[in-house]
């Protein structure tokens, strides 16, 4: 018996929506430093980087920003 065609939604799945966050408050807990972030979705999270995390600005890859095309 043939299976019915699946209908594809025009909106992206929830986990593929691009989220952006802005750090707004430094937090210390148990000797660890993290930041409170506010996401463009309205959610607020606290993020603590792993103990061995390092960042070198000279090696950072900058994302290309593309304008959103609306209908």
């Amino acid at each position: 018996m043939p299976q019915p065609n699946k209908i594809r939604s025009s909106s992206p799945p929830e986990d593929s929506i691009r989220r952006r966050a802005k750090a707004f408050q430094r937090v210390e807990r148990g000797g660890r430093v993290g930041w409170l972030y506010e996401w463009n979705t309205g959610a607020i999270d606290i993020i603590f980087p792993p103990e061995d995390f390092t960042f070198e600005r000279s090696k950072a890859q900058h994302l290309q920003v593309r304008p959103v095309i609306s209908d």
Side-chain angles (χ1 to χ4, degrees):
M1 176 181 251
Q3 294 186 6
N5 292 336
K6 291 183 179 180
I7 299 173
R8 296 183 70 182
S9 172
S10 61
S11 61
E14 183 63 30
D15 63 350
S16 71
I17 295 173
R18 182 168 297 206
R19 295 187 342 154
R20 294 186 193 136
K22 181 177 182 179
F24 68 93
Q25 184 176 340
R26 185 176 187 262
V27 177
E28 280 192 56
R29 287 197 186 154
R32 296 185 66 202
V33 175
W35 287 85
L36 281 173
Y37 285 85
E38 182 175 8
W39 297 91
N40 62 331
T41 60
I44 295 178
D45 287 318
I46 185 169
I47 299 176
F48 290 94
E51 294 291 331
D52 60 348
F53 177 80
T54 60
F55 175 77
E56 292 182 44
R57 185 177 294 272
S58 64
K59 294 182 179 180
Q61 294 182 359
H62 298 277
L63 300 175
Q64 292 181 0
V65 178
R66 297 182 199 149
V68 176
I69 299 172
S70 59
D71 297 343

